[in-house]
Amino acid sequence: MSVGGRVRARAAFGGEELGLLLREAERYRAGYLADGPWDYAYTGPAGHPILSRVDQGGLARRVEPGELPAVVKFLVVDATDMAALAEAGRALGMTVNHHLDEALIDFAPGTTTKREALASLGIDEYNAFGNDINDLELLRDARHAVRVGAHPGLDGVARVTVAPTPEAVAAEISRLAADG
């Protein structure tokens, strides 16, 4: 997240915790995206669609996993047994979102959620945009909740649904700004 113009991570994997996760990833021959506070590491297939959604502004660097000063999010894009890997992460006490529709597993340290991160900054009133089940809690508590795309797990939570395009999201942001 950005606070006062500086990128700040709410929570990062501890060294031991990340080591255990990497061992499980190796056990299941997982390809993954590891997000650092700014840069990222990627070990998955070269043509995976996630690459088109990472660093769209071209501001970060793709580095080796060991070059990241911290890992704030770990996204598995393929593995020999995705369900077993997701369960292994839960057994390690991590927040795990298994996105069956996209065949992805999203790991976060401890009980970190987007909503929890905002609360830690004292932010109780906010507008939120979300496109996946890991946005459910964030959208549920938002003053104005916008679903981006048509994820069925977000039915009934968002007040507005917009197409998953930059133009549609920008138009909704402009509308919110105009409404004050």
Side-chain angles (χ1 to χ4, degrees):
M1 74 182 72
S2 177
V3 178
R6 295 187 49 168
V7 174
R8 182 173 133 190
R10 164 64 181 108
F13 287 97
E16 182 179 342
E17 184 181 37
L18 181 60
L20 293 170
L21 179 56
L22 287 169
R23 187 173 17 209
E24 292 297 327
E26 185 176 320
R27 176 179 169 196
Y28 294 104
R29 294 193 300 275
Y32 60 83
L33 170 71
D35 270 337
W38 191 262
D39 297 325
Y40 65 97
Y42 181 74
T43 68
H48 196 280
I50 195 70
L51 289 173
S52 68
R53 299 191 319 233
V54 174
D55 189 30
Q56 292 176 340
L59 303 174
R61 292 179 312 128
R62 181 174 169 180
V63 299
E64 293 299 316
E67 294 179 61
L68 294 171
V71 174
V72 298
K73 185 176 178 181
F74 194 89
L75 184 71
V76 171
V77 298
D78 69 355
T80 56
D81 189 339
M82 295 286 272
L85 180 54
E87 192 51 43
R90 286 185 192 95
L92 292 171
M94 297 173 188
T95 298
V96 178
N97 289 294
H98 193 170
H99 306 278
L100 298 173
D101 55 330
E102 293 185 272
L104 300 172
I105 307 171
D106 182 354
F107 295 88
T111 58
T112 302
T113 67
K114 294 172 184 179
R115 176 64 188 113
E116 184 267 338
L118 287 175
S120 75
L121 295 170
I123 299 171
D124 295 320
E125 289 193 27
Y126 59 91
N127 298 319
F129 289 70
N131 68 334
D132 211 333
I133 197 67
N134 67 342
D135 298 314
L136 182 65
E137 180 184 5
L138 181 72
L139 292 172
R140 184 180 299 129
D141 294 339
R143 178 176 50 209
H144 184 79
V146 180
R147 176 173 61 173
V148 179
H151 194 291
L154 302 178
D155 283 350
V157 176
R159 292 187 194 153
V160 174
T161 297
V162 299
T165 66
E167 297 79 16
V169 172
E172 183 62 16
I173 291 171
S174 293
R175 193 187 70 68
L176 281 170
D179 289 348

